[in-house]
Amino acid sequence: MRFKSLSVVTVIFTVLLACHGTVIAAERITLSSKCPPSFEKLENGLCELRSLYEFYNSPAGFGGLKTPLPEHQGGYSAEQIDLGRYLFFDPLLSGDKTKACSSCHQPGKGFSDGLARSVGIDNEVLERSAPSLWNVGFLKSLFWDGRAKSLQEQAKGPLFEKKEMNNTIENLEFSLNKNKTYRALFNIAYPESRTISVNEVSHALAAFQSSLVSLNSRYDRYAHGDQEALTEQERIGHTVFRSFAARCSQCHTPPLFTNQQLAVTAAPEPEGKEFDVGAEKISGQASLRGAFKVPTLRNITLSAPFMHSGALADLESVISFYNNERGHAVADQELQLHWHLVNPRLNEDDEFALLAFLKTLEDETTLPRVPEVLPSGLLLKEAPMYTAQSIP
Amino acid sequence: MNTTKSVIYSFMLFNILNICSINAAEILVNDGELIQDAIRKAGKGDTIKVMPGTYKETLYIDKENVTLSGVIIKGRRPLLDGENTRNDGILASGHGVVIENFQIQHYKANGIMTQGANNFIIRNNIVIGTSVYGIFPQFGKNGLVSHNIVSKVEDAAIYVGMCDNVDIVYNETYNSVMGIETENSHDVLVEGNFMHDNAVGFVASLVPGLPIKTAKNTIVRNNFIVNNNIDNFAPPGAIAAGLPSGVGAFIFAADEARFEGNIITNNVSAGIVFADHASLGASAPPDPAMDPRPDKAQVLKNVFVNNGLGPKDDIAALLEAAGIKKGPDVLSTGKGRKNCIQERSTITEAGTERWSECDADVTTVNVRSYRLEKPIESKALTLEQKGRITYLSVCTGCHTYATTIIGPPIAAVQATYKGKPEELVKYIKKPVKKWPGYPEMPPQDYLPDDVLLETAKYILELKP
């Protein structure tokens, strides 16, 4: 409780650390005591999401324009969120100190990585593509197959997965506890914990990720009542999106553009990759063979290529995929396709309008700042980390 | 009264009307014009009157309390024609929408669909030959679907999905795969409808894989459920394709279906069928978050005549396996709990061994309607709360107190607008370029004035 009353705690530290030939000089790292944009700091010091969707009340709250959002998993302090930001970008978290969460979830690429399938430690190609993390704080199940139930549980996946970050609990805790800056920062964010454990790490990562909210797109302005926020073509596209011909909104349900259910769409695999059974593996249910969690479409323009293994290069390909016979892309499997998949037989104008509508879901106003310097002193190899946008 | 005075008076009167927002306008649409243009112009509370004629459009209504009303002249009503190329007839997301007096035909998907709209009314429409649903309110509370005539629909003619507190009354549905269906809904009254010559007359279902995980309390009362024997012509893949034809009413895992006072006759497979998720060609994967069994059903006093005379599809197979020739009035195929039948001795049954006799005094007549006494209001937030939420949710993406992220710092805004919240509102409704080197600020005029004023006051009081 010592630090509770301090508004900004500055930790001054000096690192002289060689990394990829770069030497980083003395740097001050602080944890912000301000909640991120769109969050309100409550009396108890915790940050709570505010959104115009709070104006609405509907039953259970699914679908339509003026409907509330599902519950946002918050309850983190500003300092925990900011600590999570440092951790998220820090390759110190991986076994060989080359991969950070941000290697595969890059802020400049819609928190994905621009790859069909992510590349892990030792350049190994993973089974699936990196999902966007926008609005991940609303999700009740995580991963393409929905196997993790909370962000905290989820984070332990990539950290200790051999192919991803290949760390061990012992090594992670050891390297963080050894680092003076991290010790000080964790002390601010978690004054009650004496040493750094994996639990605080996953908690802070969850805190940061829960702050990645995107709810101020042009679509949202339209939903809140600004008729002019969308062009005529986009409005038509919106109506195609929610039409019962295309039925996109039946699964990609607003305001999150996901209903968070599993669905079998029979999206193709890339050439030569074997069929991914999806949620069948974790549930043991044949009817869920090839089922994946419906992904959000917020900021979808930023995270190509698409689908669980990135087989569809662009949104045009996704639209052609849906505007076709159900199941056409996976011929050799017995699948129980979702009943909302039907060939909508959209004409070309409708296809273009739909594409135009998907582009209205872009909003990065709350894009977090990429730390210029990390507590570990390490640098990331991935250039996109230091995009023009992220330099303050 | 001199002119100046009367101008002032009428101005005042106008303002009063404005404040009370009873200045609802009527917008007339004539044959040859676009209905969507009128919807675009309409404000809250307006009524759009559409003259008889043919309109080839897909309409969408994303505003509150708009009434879309056909004008019927000597039996001629406005016709919305999808020509089998347009997707849906009418899509409405605004609360309080009223859609009445249209003929809607030949759309590729639905005739009328609401999405997330509360307090809806859909009445006196004729819907013919739409490929998925005729009338489909989805995700809404407090609605009325009445006096519609719906036919030739490849799924449910009237489909109420994931809704609460809806009355479906006095409709006629025929020549469709299902006459009326309620799905994952609660507190629905289905009364006085004529459901005939469909594959299945009435269905109450709990469909797996949807975000609403229960279906509860449907009163089915005083309906005519007759002759529902046409072949199931739902497209393959649709859940409806798994339904056996010849069934008066089909309860698929939904709880508390209560039947009273219906006339259920001449349905060749069975009168009422109760099924769980595991039985009968369920074409959706089971959902572990759902109870797959139909529980607490009550079959009270109804008139059953001539049902089950020639069972078809899955029902035929099922009965044959059990060595039963004639379809029963009430058939239960799955396990359900706490189900009962009144005056049990008067009807034929199968699979209902574990059902009990309902108490003699059980009746639904005390429920006159499931609609709410008053429309659901928008959430009761104070203006102060709305102002604060607006600042935090919209403005903080670009403005912070002391530093520049995208827009100028609030501290600078405070210096300029101190004591002048109205000026601030004026600016944010129509921002003008002011700060060199800054991008443009998007206008905020989509939010109501009172909310913006409260936002302005909040900003001017904001502390570092």
Side-chain angles (χ1 to χ4, degrees), chain B residues 12-307:
Chain B
M12 280 169 61
L13 188 66
F14 177 76
N15 261 326
I16 290 167
L17 289 175
N18 242 333
I19 289 163
C20 310
S21 62
I22 48 169
N23 57 334
E26 213 173 85
I27 305 174
L28 193 71
V29 183
N30 287 298
D31 195 6
E33 297 172 346
L34 287 176
I35 304 172
Q36 191 64 43
D37 284 349
I39 296 172
R40 202 168 152 67
K41 277 184 232 141
K44 200 170 170 172
D46 288 354
T47 296
I48 298 163
K49 289 274 184 194
V50 183
M51 297 301 284
T54 303
Y55 300 86
K56 299 180 177 178
E57 298 179 65
T58 285
L59 305 178
Y60 53 92
I61 307 173
D62 292 329
K63 303 176 172 183
E64 280 180 49
N65 297 333
V66 168
T67 295
L68 188 59
S69 180
V71 178
I72 305 178
I73 298 177
K74 296 212 181 294
R76 285 182 62 232
R77 38 177 93 207
L79 169 69
L80 274 174
D81 193 349
E83 301 179 295
N84 291 316
T85 58
R86 282 172 206 90
N87 297 327
D88 302 282
I90 304 174
L91 283 171
S93 77
H95 298 313
V97 68
V98 178
I99 299 167
E100 60 188 12
N101 308 344
F102 281 86
Q103 176 159 335
I104 301 174
Q105 67 188 30
H106 303 149
Y107 280 87
K108 274 164 60 189
N110 299 338
I112 301 171
M113 179 171 196
T114 66
Q115 296 179 343
N118 297 332
N119 312 322
F120 58 86
I121 294 177
I122 302 169
R123 66 183 162 214
N124 193 8
N125 299 286
I126 300 172
V127 183
I128 304 169
T130 56
S131 290
V132 191
Y133 303 112
I135 294 175
F136 180 11
Q138 186 184 38
F139 300 124
K141 198 174 167 86
N142 192 33
L144 173 68
V145 180
S146 83
H147 295 93
N148 301 285
I149 304 174
V150 188
S151 61
K152 298 187 189 153
V153 175
E154 288 176 30
D155 203 297
I158 294 176
Y159 186 43
V160 169
M162 295 181 263
C163 288
D164 295 349
N165 299 94
V166 177
D167 290 353
I168 312 171
V169 291
Y170 316 121
N171 301 281
E172 181 186 10
T173 58
Y174 62 98
N175 286 6
S176 300
V177 173
M178 290 176 259
I180 295 177
E181 180 181 10
T182 64
E183 164 228 69
N184 303 32
S185 292
H186 304 83
D187 302 324
V188 179
L189 174 66
V190 181
E191 179 154 35
N193 301 285
F194 184 21
M195 302 169 237
H196 64 97
D197 298 289
N198 305 290
V200 181
F202 172 77
V203 176
S205 56
L206 174 65
V207 172
L210 292 175
I212 308 282
K213 302 295 183 192
T214 56
K216 252 201 193 106
N217 193 23
T218 313
I219 294 181
V220 185
R221 189 168 65 199
N222 300 339
N223 299 284
F224 298 88
I225 306 179
V226 179
N227 258 335
N228 292 292
N229 301 319
I230 67 171
D231 287 339
N232 185 338
F233 59 106
I239 290 197
L243 280 174
S245 138
V247 175
F250 193 99
I251 307 304
F252 184 57
D255 290 343
E256 294 172 43
R258 301 192 271 160
F259 287 84
E260 186 170 18
N262 301 287
I263 291 185
I264 303 178
T265 62
N266 287 308
N267 304 291
V268 295
S269 290
I272 309 176
V273 175
F274 293 85
D276 62 19
H277 280 168
S279 46
L280 288 169
S283 32
D287 188 328
M290 288 181 177
D291 170 9
R293 290 169 294 213
D295 300 326
K296 297 189 189 158
Q298 296 174 341
V299 178
L300 304 174
K301 293 180 190 107
N302 297 281
V303 176
F304 289 96
V305 179
N306 279 348
N307 294 301

Side-chain angles (χ1 to χ4, degrees), chain A residues 337-349:
Chain A
L337 291 168
H338 196 282
W339 68 93
H340 277 318
L341 281 178
V342 285
N343 185 344
R345 296 179 220 284
L346 302 178
N347 62 34
E348 214 173 48
D349 287 348

